[in-house]
Amino acid sequence: MTEAPAVTTDLDVAACEREPIRVPGSIQPHGALFVLDGAGVVRKAAIGALAEGLVEGNPIGRDLAALLPEDARDTMKGLDARLVAGRAPEHLCFLRTAAGAFHCVAHRSGADIIVELERALGDEPGSFDEVYPDVRAFLDTVQRTSGVQALADLAAREVRRITGLDRALIYRFDADWNGEVIAEDNGGRLPVYLDLRWPASDIPAQARDLYRLNRLRLIADAHYEPAAIAPDGGEVDLTYSVLRSVSPVHLEYMRNMGTMASMSISLLSGDRLWGLISCHHRDPIRVPYHVRAACEFIGQVVSMQIAAHEASALATRRDALRSVQGGLLAHMAAADHFIDGLLAHPQDLMALTGADGAAVVAGGRCTRLGEAPAEADVLALVDWLSDQDREDVFVTDSLAAEWTEGERLKDAGSGVIALSISQVHDSYLIWFRPELVRTVSWGGDPAKCAELGSDGLRLHPRKSFDIWQETVQLHARPWQQAELDAAAELRVAIVDIVLRRAEEMAALSERLAAINKELEAFSYSVSHDLRAPFRHIVGYAQLLKKFEGERLSERGERYVETIIESAISAGQLVDDLLSYSQMGRSTITPVSIDVGAMIREARAHLTMEGDRHRIEWRVGDLAPVRADPVMVRLVVQNLLENALKFSREREPAVIEIGSDPKEGDVITWVRDNGAGFDMAYVDKLFGVFQRLHREEEFEGTGIGLANVKRIVERHGGRVWAKGEPDKGATFFFSLPAA
């Protein structure tokens, strides 16, 4: 049906890909080929059986123009300047010679000029006017044809009618380069191949590339004997040649199919090979040059129509998906977090790619939408994706073919589009399509693309083209390009949102840091400046009481005592505020700390200060931590002072201290059996100036626990508490383990 790879002694079929089909070193026998230098002198030549007698003697080293009839000599002048490499052959003239009539064409191949003389079917050149009515009728009908299928049916019918060949097929490639016959016009002498599929191995990659460059190829007789290019014709690139010889394996392939002649016309969508108009005849036949030219023109028209239809369908689908995408972007922009905007509109999210299910994995959470696989399977897929070379967009319509464990997801996730929405975390937006089981009919068993010959060396193409059916499993409906584009655009939008939010947060963080520095400096300045006035107030009030006390009334003495107590309390508040301010600016110097020794020091200090009511200490083994010793001493002192203060009404007061190493940190806790607190107000405990008890019950400024929180958090730890009214409280803090 189409050109197959060449003969090879290597048993690996992939070696066929390496055959130099562009430089076969020979031509088909219905003409002659001359390789000229820039001056028109023949360097190499091949003369087929149907061109014998075209030139007298050996043409090598002679001026080709001098070897041809006089009426051809003018057309041979200036070829070196006229011909451009990479273009199809130019028809120069029609020659009548003693050996017969020939069409003369030429093209450039690198530095060489290649002139070919193809034997005409008669003594007349044939005219495009003969086929113009058919071409004109085709063009008129094309204008009224809608859709690729109708266009394919029309092209198959018209090409067979113009050429008179037995069968004309429209052959379309899929994403894996397997082919499918989507239209056929058949005269009844050859089998019908409509709706059959053909494996990609029938047309290897280099043959497909050749079809893309040289858009029409004729093989007039599957039994032909090639004419060799001499001397050493293997170096001549015949990519654009009209007489280029083809692989013997392909000729055998044709004979096995029962077709003795074939003609192929390439169909392109843009620069991509979309398919072929593939024509066959049961007997050897040569299609006239002007008829082939008309067919090539039809192929170009069909190619443009296919490209236009595909572009229109893609644009329509993209417009529909952009509308959905616009809604999703609006939802993401309006939400506090873009993920919430996506999850709030699951139907739009799945409609964006035509998926049956979706999942969003971010922030340690997996949210499934629609017909998605189980959460454990989704997370396993994310782990696998993260272990690969991270792709921005991962796409497959057969997950089982990509991932060994993918088969278990087939009922919901044979097809997958996965967007990586973070380069740091394993965060993904994933769409799913279920398995679509279908039966495909092939033109012969695609697994038997070639077999070893009796000689033990040569690969032969398969002989059977009987219908062979395959049940395709573990594949989903393929994703369309518009859907893939929409997914990729959504990822770009998400990344933009994340980056913009990150920039906003960074700017806010910088601003907050500046404000905090200003506040710390302000609080330090205020507290420092207020200390002296409060000391003066206390000092002068005490002097007033000492020297003028006898003249003060009882009420006056009471007023003076209140002034002293209030000034002392205010001074203490200023000292605590100054300490809190300093905690934000102090440099941390972490070292290994023996927390047990620090607890013993604090207990001794508190006893000296006057906390001598009966206390039962229960101190366990305390794990060492790595932190700044001055700051940790303040934490310990504050927590122990708190425990003593709020348990002083108990007899005995029980204070327990212990620690629990956990995942690189040490959680230390201080528990008392004192007044406790209501957990409803636990959030207020560590705020500046926040108090859960009246000052008449328990003294304090409300800054001690705020200092504890600030110190612990500066070390990367955290602090929390549990309590119950009248049953005591437990304070916890975590610091890095030593």
Side-chain angles (χ1 to χ4, degrees):
M1 177 177 176
T2 45
E3 187 163 341
V7 178
T8 176
T9 58
D10 189 347
L11 300 186
D12 180 7
V13 179
C16 298
E17 290 278 3
R18 297 191 290 273
E19 190 204 4
I21 62 174
R22 298 194 190 194
V23 286
S26 62
I27 63 170
Q28 297 182 53
H30 56 280
L33 179 143
F34 302 94
V35 181
L36 313 181
D37 62 18
V41 176
V42 179
R43 291 199 313 110
K44 300 176 187 292
I47 299 177
L50 294 183
E52 288 182 358
L54 178 63
V55 296
E56 293 184 8
N58 185 356
I60 305 301
R62 299 166 64 185
D63 187 339
L64 179 62
L67 300 175
L68 298 178
E70 289 187 12
D71 55 356
R73 292 174 185 174
D74 287 341
T75 63
M76 300 298 295
K77 293 178 180 179
L79 289 182
D80 188 49
R82 197 163 80 215
L83 299 176
V84 178
R87 291 186 182 176
E90 177 184 330
H91 190 278
L92 299 181
C93 62
F94 183 76
L95 296 178
R96 294 177 180 87
T97 72
F102 293 86
H103 288 278
C104 180
V105 299
H107 70 279
R108 179 179 289 282
S109 177
D112 292 328
I113 296 168
I114 296 180
V115 176
E116 298 175 86
L117 282 82
E118 178 185 345
R119 182 69 179 264
L121 293 177
D123 292 333
E124 297 301 323
S127 172
F128 188 77
D129 292 342
E130 298 173 27
V131 292
Y132 176 74
D134 295 321
V135 173
R136 178 60 184 269
F138 170 77
L139 292 176
D140 290 342
T141 309
V142 163
Q143 302 302 319
R144 303 189 298 273
T145 301
S146 175
V148 171
Q149 185 59 57
L151 181 66
D153 292 335
L154 173 65
R157 182 173 68 249
E158 291 303 310
V159 168
R160 197 180 85 79
R161 186 163 67 86
I162 293 172
T163 61
L165 298 175
D166 288 334
R167 180 173 61 201
L169 310 173
I170 306 300
Y171 181 94
R172 178 175 61 191
F173 294 109
D174 66 13
D176 297 320
W177 296 108
N178 299 308
E180 180 184 6
V181 178
I182 65 170
E184 177 174 356
D185 194 77
N186 196 310
R189 299 210 309 159
L190 290 174
V192 174
Y193 287 157
L194 182 63
D195 295 329
L196 295 187
R197 294 170 66 86
W198 306 82
S201 58
D202 278 11
I203 309 179
Q206 61 168 344
R208 293 193 299 268
D209 194 47
L210 197 54
Y211 278 122
R212 187 176 60 81
L213 298 171
N214 192 342
R215 299 189 180 188
L216 189 143
R217 186 216 55 197
L218 172 70
I219 302 174
D221 185 354
H223 288 283
Y224 78 80
E225 291 295 329
I229 300 173
D232 187 25
E235 65 182 42
V236 181
D237 187 342
L238 300 183
T239 294
Y240 294 96
S241 168
V242 298
L243 295 173
R244 177 178 59 86
S245 188
V246 298
S247 165
V249 176
H250 179 61
L251 295 176
E252 186 177 351
Y253 182 96
M254 289 177 60
R255 296 193 292 270
N256 291 346
M257 287 182 69
T259 60
M260 294 302 106
S262 73
M263 184 179 75
S264 296
I265 305 159
S266 304
L267 298 176
L268 281 72
S269 179
D271 291 330
R272 175 177 59 89
L273 183 64
W274 183 92
L276 299 169
I277 303 175
S278 191
C279 306
H280 307 107
H281 204 65
R282 197 174 71 175
D283 306 309
I285 190 173
R286 286 193 289 128
V287 180
Y289 189 90
H290 67 285
V291 174
R292 299 201 322 262
C295 291
E296 186 172 7
F297 176 73
I298 288 175
Q300 290 175 341
V301 171
V302 172
S303 293
M304 288 188 292
Q305 289 293 314
I306 288 171
H309 282 300
E310 289 191 339
S312 176
L314 182 61
T316 300
R317 180 67 174 145
R318 278 179 173 161
D319 286 345
L321 295 182
R322 281 200 179 101
S323 176
V324 176
Q325 187 182 68
L328 284 173
L329 292 177
H331 300 321
M332 287 192 295
D336 290 338
H337 194 282
F338 74 91
I339 294 294
D340 298 329
L342 291 175
L343 297 178
H345 300 83
Q347 294 306 317
D348 286 349
L349 183 59
M350 289 185 289
L352 187 69
T353 60
D356 294 72
V360 180
V361 180
R365 184 176 56 153
C366 174
T367 305
R368 299 161 52 250
L369 307 168
E371 299 298 322
E375 180 174 334
D377 289 333
V378 174
L379 294 176
L381 172 61
V382 167
D383 288 342
W384 176 74
L385 289 169
S386 300
D387 289 340
Q388 311 308 304
D389 291 335
R390 189 184 294 270
E391 299 181 41
D392 293 342
V393 183
F394 169 81
V395 180
T396 183
D397 58 9
S398 179
L399 183 59
E402 304 280 347
W403 180 35
T404 54
E405 298 181 40
E407 185 173 350
R408 72 168 187 263
L409 280 67
K410 66 184 179 67
D411 292 336
S414 275
V416 170
I417 299 177
L419 304 185
S420 172
I421 54 179
S422 172
Q423 291 297 319
V424 179
H425 306 290
D426 293 338
S427 299
Y428 283 87
L429 171 55
I430 310 173
W431 289 276
F432 298 100
R433 279 181 180 169
E435 176 187 38
L436 178 65
V437 180
R438 65 192 189 279
T439 300
V440 173
S441 297
W442 295 83
D445 185 349
K448 296 181 179 180
C449 57
E451 58 188 34
L452 192 63
S454 59
D455 55 11
L457 297 175
R458 186 162 158 347
L459 287 172
H460 296 265
R462 66 177 187 270
K463 295 181 175 65
S464 173
F465 297 90
D466 293 337
I467 294 177
W468 189 89
Q469 290 190 325
E470 175 191 21
T471 300
V472 179
Q473 297 176 303
L474 301 177
H475 282 72
R477 178 167 51 89
W479 305 97
Q480 297 178 13
Q481 187 59 48
E483 295 161 349
L484 300 180
D485 292 343
E489 288 172 8
L490 181 65
R491 182 187 180 276
V492 172
I494 289 173
V495 170
D496 285 346
I497 290 172
V498 171
L499 290 176
R500 188 168 64 251
R501 293 273 172 90
E503 289 173 356
E504 291 172 355
M505 291 300 294
L508 181 60
S509 177
E510 289 178 6
R511 179 62 181 150
L512 287 175
I515 291 172
N516 280 336
K517 282 184 121 181
E518 291 175 5
L519 287 175
E520 287 172 3
F522 174 75
S523 61
Y524 178 81
S525 175
V526 169
S527 350
H528 184 273
D529 292 345
L530 285 176
R531 294 175 76 191
F534 282 124
R535 285 199 301 270
H536 291 162
I537 292 171
V538 171
Y540 281 107
Q542 288 174 337
L543 288 174
L544 179 63
K545 181 179 178 182
K546 178 178 179 180
F547 294 109
E548 302 295 334
E550 295 179 356
R551 287 188 279 176
L552 291 174
S553 64
E554 184 178 343
R555 177 185 295 177
E557 287 184 2
R558 191 167 64 250
Y559 287 166
V560 171
E561 285 295 333
T562 300
I563 291 171
I564 293 172
E565 289 175 5
S566 297
I568 291 174
S569 176
Q572 183 60 49
L573 181 62
V574 168
D575 287 342
D576 289 346
L577 183 61
L578 183 60
S579 174
Y580 182 77
S581 174
Q582 288 172 334
M583 284 303 103
R585 296 195 312 275
S586 300
T587 301
I588 294 176
T589 307
V591 296
S592 180
I593 298 173
D594 183 347
V595 179
M598 194 170 281
I599 292 289
R600 288 191 294 274
E601 286 179 25
R603 283 175 54 189
H605 174 75
L606 291 171
T607 303
M608 288 175 60
E609 289 290 318
D611 288 300
R612 296 186 177 88
H613 61 288
R614 196 159 76 89
I615 304 168
E616 184 178 323
W617 294 92
R618 300 175 185 175
V619 182
D621 292 330
L622 300 174
V625 299
R626 182 170 179 80
D628 186 290
V630 175
M631 292 188 177
V632 174
R633 187 172 285 106
L634 285 174
V635 169
V636 168
Q637 186 173 322
N638 267 296
L639 292 180
L640 293 185
E641 284 177 351
N642 250 27
L644 288 170
K645 178 169 61 177
F646 288 100
S647 62
R648 65 190 177 201
E649 303 298 329
R650 299 290 188 263
E651 191 63 39
V654 178
I655 299 176
E656 299 178 58
I657 306 168
S659 69
D660 180 18
K662 191 172 183 180
E663 297 179 359
D665 289 337
V666 174
I667 298 174
T668 306
W669 42 269
V670 177
R671 179 178 297 124
D672 65 67
N673 63 339
F677 61 88
D678 188 339
M679 286 294 290
Y681 304 104
V682 68
D683 291 339
K684 291 186 175 183
L685 270 178
F686 299 99
V688 181
F689 305 133
Q690 297 289 331
R691 296 174 51 87
L692 301 187
H693 302 275
R694 289 178 302 168
E695 194 169 354
E696 292 81 359
E697 295 177 293
F698 299 100
E699 72 281 358
T701 60
I703 291 182
L705 290 180
N707 255 337
V708 169
K709 182 174 185 291
R710 191 170 218 188
I711 291 170
V712 171
E713 288 182 349
R714 286 198 67 193
H715 284 80
R718 66 188 187 97
V719 61
W720 67 102
K722 295 180 181 178
E724 191 175 344
D726 207 37
K727 292 188 178 179
T730 306
F731 288 82
F732 304 85
F733 65 92
S734 67
L735 290 172

